[in-house]
Amino acid sequence: MPKDRPELPPVEELLATAVTALGGVERPGQVKMAQAVRDAVESEEHLAVQAGTGTGKSLAYLVPAIRHAAESGDAVVVSTATIALQRQLVDRDLPRLADALEGLLPHRPEFAILKGRRNYLCRHKMAAGMPEDEDDQLFDPREVSATGRMVQRIQEWANETETGDRDEIVPGVSDQAWRQFSVTARECLGAQRCPSGADCFAELARERAGEADVVVTNHALLAIDAMEDFAVLPEHDVVVVDEAHELVDRVTSVVTGELSESTVGLAVRRVGRLVEQGIADRLQEAGEDLRALLTVAPPGRVDTLPQSLGMTLALIRDAAFACITALGPRNKDKDDPENAGLRKAAFTALDDVHDTAQRMLDAFGPAAGDDTDDADDAANGAHAGDAGSEEVHRAEVVWLEEGRGRVPPTLRVAPLSVGGMLRDKLFGDRTVVLTSATLALGGTFDGLARQWGLRAGEWTGLDVGSPFDHPRRGILYVATHLPQPGRDGLPEAYVDEIAELIEAAGGRTLGLFSSMRAAKAATEALRERLDVPLLCQGDDSTSQLVKQFAGDPATCLFGTLSLWQGVDVPGSSLTLVIIDRIPFPRPDDPLASARQRHVAATGGNGFMAVAATHAALLLAQGAGRLLRSMDDRGVVAVLDPRLATARYSGFLLNSLPPFWRTTDPAKVRDALRRLTSGS
């Protein structure tokens, strides 16, 4: 500890003070977690902590984090997956905690929120009137008019805002409207070159973060900071990753590249009149060739590269490079900010197109696109599931997503694993604490630790449990008398079972379905049979539906993925959680299937490492919707009998909270009736 800093109270004293000030009750699991975080920071060892709902994990990591910041003088970064948790930390937890600890620390703890540059208004782009990126021909007049109204709202808000943060605009605005007022980090001119650099909202947010003890950010920006050549976050030696079960997916999204007619067209529009027309036309024509190929190609994973696609990707790469070369030196217009901004935007779009095309070619070997086979694989099932061992061991996977509406077919490329990136870039020279209510899948942290790239001996796992008495408060019911779910929609027997359970519960049901089609089918079938209000995801905004559901105990809410993790409804409005089937990834999910095959090819159990781990994570998150406060009681009903009968059922069951278990439908209906009647 630096000599000029006073001796600080121990973590236990600070935590007790904070809990008392916030009107809470100190829990053994919370104390245990806070001590473990302190020990991990002091020993510089990575830590994974599973802390069940009700533990108070935010305080358990914030208190030792703030103490470390006060002692070392270095900021601690807290990363979350959701905006909701960011707002909870910044708007509620941290202000109250700072007030509580102010007299015990050398100064009142300071905190700040930092988002990606794209989330802040760019004064230069707004003042310069830089051309919008969208092709107006893609939008009908009504959408153009709606966007125009949003643009006007942004302009009015821009004259009042002190932060430039997009989230201040309520109701929100579309991405299309916001893009006209924002830039990415790679498009930014930099504070020194930009005429508005001194008043830049993103730079001001960075300055505030640089003075803070705790900086709250998100997994995407954390990944960008770790992997890019430029620093985004202030210097720090400790990272707390909350909602760590989502880290791999969020990082994968950041490093996924995409190529379509739209991305190529954006680059062409941005390069515009900055280069000779003939050079830009080459890229335009290559983009049109790509559209023609993707329109007729079957969606799914691309295991072998068709000659025609390889040639088109090479054409796009080379045409983009020609445009980049024609633009000349990147700092050519440093004394002309307006033109420099246009050129920087063009370079960014062209770099993305060029680099993504090259990544896709590299995924199939060093000569792909330059020396393809004579046979055109497109005519021979280039998207087939079987591939040779050289494809199995590729570092990246390429797949085609079919177009929807005005969104054209899109090629995507992503790494089979981000563990190596995380190990080298995130965990390398920092101490990282990873926490969530769901980390120990199958009773062990090993599965997620492997996905994070952590090796044995580099980390410690700790499950501090939950204050909830799961066996007394909740029932896990597996409907073993039902048939296994098929691929032909929701079986009639499942609809009957759901109806009987909801009638016994008197509504009060959250239905979590594996697909939107199943959720809608159940809603339509049961609205005719039940007297209780039935809401379905898509009827309104998800937040509004959850609010309506929480406000009326008789109401039921059905939906899919976002409801599995995003619903927090304590009290009598939620007594029954229904899960229609084990949420395995779709068999045709390109990335999951490629990862599963890769694990199998390297001697592991691909199904357990990928599909079962994915299902266990979602099941645990879904089941966790039931008990949200100490007084909650109810039932988690899983209609898929495989949870009790399949060879992998033990792994899945060991990932769930320790509810009392039964397969008897009569007992469950009786229990629900008793809960509803209040007895």
Side-chain angles (χ1 to χ4, degrees), residues 646-658:
R647 56 182 172 79
Y648 48 78
S649 62
F651 174 80
L652 298 179
L653 289 169
N654 287 335
S655 305
L656 297 176

Side-chain angles (χ1 to χ4, degrees), residues 404-463:
R404 289 185 175 85
R406 285 181 293 274
V407 178
T410 301
L411 270 180
R412 299 188 186 278
V413 58
L416 282 168
S417 170
V418 296
M421 297 181 193
L422 290 173
R423 174 181 169 78
D424 294 340
K425 303 293 187 178
L426 177 60
F427 298 113
D429 55 359
R430 301 177 182 89
T431 300
V432 182
V433 175
L434 304 112
T435 185
S436 169
T438 310
L439 292 181
L441 304 179
T444 175
F445 295 89
D446 293 347
L448 286 179
R450 281 193 295 270
Q451 292 185 16
W452 297 328
L454 293 177
R455 298 172 182 168
E458 297 177 337
W459 62 281
T460 300
L462 174 67
D463 184 354

Side-chain angles (χ1 to χ4, degrees), residues 198-211:
D199 300 316
C200 174
F201 287 121
E203 291 298 323
L204 292 173
R206 286 191 65 191
E207 288 178 15
R208 288 191 293 269
E211 299 171 355

Side-chain angles (χ1 to χ4, degrees), residues 559-617:
T560 185
L561 188 59
S562 62
L563 297 186
W564 287 72
Q565 305 185 69
V567 176
D568 186 5
V569 180
S572 61
S573 290
L574 204 172
T575 303
L576 172 63
V577 175
I578 295 177
I579 297 174
D580 70 328
R581 63 189 297 162
I582 298 172
F584 292 119
R586 289 169 53 96
D588 59 355
D589 181 292
L591 193 52
S593 61
R595 286 174 169 172
Q596 185 168 322
R597 190 179 63 173
H598 175 74
V599 172
T602 53
N605 187 323
F607 172 78
M608 293 302 295
V610 179
T613 295
H614 173 92
L617 192 56

Side-chain angles (χ1 to χ4, degrees), residues 224-462:
I224 292 169
D225 178 72
M227 295 172 191
E228 292 285 359
D229 294 332
F230 51 85
V232 178
L233 298 169
E235 189 170 333
H236 58 283
D237 60 354
V238 175
V239 177
V240 178
V241 181
D242 204 341
E243 301 170 309
H245 61 280
E246 294 200 48
L247 179 63
V248 168
D249 285 345
R250 300 299 173 116
V251 173
T252 299
S253 295
V254 168
V255 296
T256 296
E258 66 175 55
L259 203 58
S260 69
E261 176 192 7
S262 294
T263 58
V264 176
L266 171 62
V268 172
R269 290 195 299 278
R270 285 192 174 181
V271 81
R273 291 186 289 270
L274 298 176
V275 301
E276 292 181 11
Q277 188 65 44
I279 299 175
D281 286 347
R282 282 178 54 195
L283 184 57
Q284 178 73 39
E285 291 165 4
E288 292 171 356
D289 290 345
L290 181 68
R291 176 192 62 191
L293 277 177
L294 300 187
T295 299
V296 298
R301 197 176 66 230
V302 184
D303 283 331
T304 56
L305 183 66
Q307 183 185 34
S308 55
L309 179 57
M311 292 175 63
T312 301
L313 289 173
L315 285 172
I316 289 173
R317 175 199 61 194
D318 295 344
F321 184 75
C323 290
I324 292 170
T325 302
L327 280 172
R330 293 182 182 250
N331 62 350
K332 175 181 174 183
D333 293 290
K334 60 182 180 180
D335 297 325
D336 181 358
E338 182 173 344
N339 204 42
L342 294 173
R343 285 167 47 78
K344 189 71 178 285
F347 273 122
T348 300
L350 291 167
D351 287 340
D352 285 342
V353 167
H354 174 276
D355 295 349
T356 303
Q358 187 62 59
R359 275 180 69 185
M360 291 176 176
L361 291 168
D362 289 344
F364 298 97
D370 299 313
D371 187 20
T372 50
D373 294 338
D374 291 337
D376 188 347
D377 293 327
N380 297 309
H383 299 261
D386 296 326
S389 60
E390 66 275 10
E391 282 82 27
V392 172
H393 292 283
R394 289 202 306 263
E396 297 203 288
V397 58
V398 178
W399 72 96
L400 173 62
E401 290 185 2
E402 63 182 336
R404 289 185 175 85
R406 285 181 293 274
V407 178
T410 301
L411 270 180
R412 299 188 186 278
V413 58
L416 282 168
S417 170
V418 296
M421 297 181 193
L422 290 173
R423 174 181 169 78
D424 294 340
K425 303 293 187 178
L426 177 60
F427 298 113
D429 55 359
R430 301 177 182 89
T431 300
V432 182
V433 175
L434 304 112
T435 185
S436 169
T438 310
L439 292 181
L441 304 179
T444 175
F445 295 89
D446 293 347
L448 286 179
R450 281 193 295 270
Q451 292 185 16
W452 297 328
L454 293 177
R455 298 172 182 168
E458 297 177 337
W459 62 281
T460 300
L462 174 67

